[in-house]
Amino acid sequence: MNSKTKKLTTVGMLCAFAYVATVIGRVPLVLFLKYDPKDIIIAISGLIFGSLTSFSVALIVSLVEMFTISENGILGFLMNVISSCSFACTAAFIYKKKRKLSGAIVGLFCGWACMVLVMLLWNYLITPIYMGYPREAVVELLIPAFLPFNLIKGGLNVAMTMILYKPVITALRHAHLMETNQIKSRTKLNIGLILIALLIITTCILLILSIKHVF
């Protein structure tokens, strides 16, 4: 296959994986808010091919989700795209400027922060419309519900992207969908990075348990 065909095939596979992750990976976290891991795949696609690809994957997956499993219609589609792109496109854009391990880490954490801030604003604007809640009620939920949800969601996305990026790259190379020299950034196992990811995951799990009053 030529490089363009390989890219289209890879992006198609990533779209399929992201959709499957959405279908089987939904976990209720805070009130009616559910976490799904599709943004991990979307972020990885952006780190590999750039922010435009992560936007395209987010758009395709959210569109398919809207017509299959979503209960929130066009507004839910809009919120999904905004949430995914604020995280994944930000991370990919920053990584493109500095294609090193440090650039990927900075990009992921900036994407996390961007997603939290953007979703607080858009939940304030849109949630009263598609959930049928008075805006005053939504304002009261911003700090105790939407903020911790997006902090947890972003933390899990960052940590799992750190852990899965190298295995995904390795699998794509073994499948001959990516050239050995296509990714110039360092992809060797980094124990420190794995430990940071595990720390973030542990913190998120403890936060979830505290929100659910498990301890």
Side-chain angles (χ1 to χ4, degrees):
M1 291 187 290
N2 59 39
S3 59
K4 184 176 291 187
T5 303
K6 286 182 178 180
K7 180 178 178 179
L8 288 174
T9 302
T10 304
V11 172
M13 289 173 55
L14 292 172
C15 287
F17 289 148
Y19 177 72
V20 171
T22 302
V23 174
I24 68 175
R26 285 187 167 185
V27 179
L29 290 185
V30 183
L31 299 179
F32 55 85
L33 301 170
K34 295 180 180 180
Y35 170 79
D36 68 70
K38 69 174 178 289
D39 288 352
I40 300 167
I41 309 298
I42 296 172
I44 291 174
S45 72
L47 294 178
I48 297 173
F49 296 114
S51 55
L52 182 59
T53 297
S54 56
F55 171 76
S56 300
V57 174
L59 193 68
I60 292 169
V61 174
S62 297
L63 190 63
V64 175
E65 181 181 350
M66 180 180 72
F67 285 110
T68 54
I69 61 174
S70 176
E71 299 174 354
N72 299 315
I74 188 66
L75 292 177
F77 162 77
L78 177 64
M79 294 291 278
N80 275 328
V81 172
I82 291 171
S83 177
S84 296
C85 290
S86 60
F87 171 66
C89 293
T90 301
F93 177 80
I94 293 174
Y95 179 56
K96 183 179 180 181
K97 299 296 182 181
K98 187 178 182 181
R99 296 189 69 83
K100 296 181 179 179
L101 178 61
S102 59
I105 295 173
V106 170
L108 288 170
F109 277 90
C110 287
W112 184 2
C114 181
M115 187 197 73
V116 170
L117 294 175
V118 167
M119 293 314 295
L120 282 177
L121 173 62
W122 279 87
N123 277 303
Y124 171 77
L125 295 173
I126 301 298
T127 300
I129 300 174
Y130 79 86
M131 293 299 297
Y133 285 9
R135 194 170 301 278
E136 294 77 11
V138 172
V139 170
E140 293 178 359
L141 291 174
L142 287 178
I143 301 303
F146 291 110
L147 178 59
F149 171 76
N150 284 294
L151 284 172
I152 294 169
K153 177 181 178 179
L156 292 175
N157 288 341
V158 168
M160 293 307 299
T161 302
M162 288 179 176
I163 292 172
L164 293 176
Y165 179 69
K166 180 185 180 296
V168 170
I169 292 295
T170 302
L172 291 175
R173 285 175 175 165
H174 287 166
H176 304 292
L177 293 173
M178 181 173 294
E179 302 298 332
T180 303
N181 61 351
Q182 185 171 340
I183 299 297
K184 298 180 180 179
S185 61
R186 183 181 176 186
T187 57
K188 292 182 179 179
L189 180 64
N190 188 304
I191 299 300
L193 194 65
I194 299 300
L195 291 176
I196 293 172
L198 292 176
L199 177 61
I200 294 173
I201 292 172
T202 302
T203 303
C204 290
I205 291 174
L206 291 175
L207 184 55
I208 293 170
L209 293 177
S210 66
I211 291 173
K212 293 184 176 295
H213 306 291
V214 175
F215 65 87

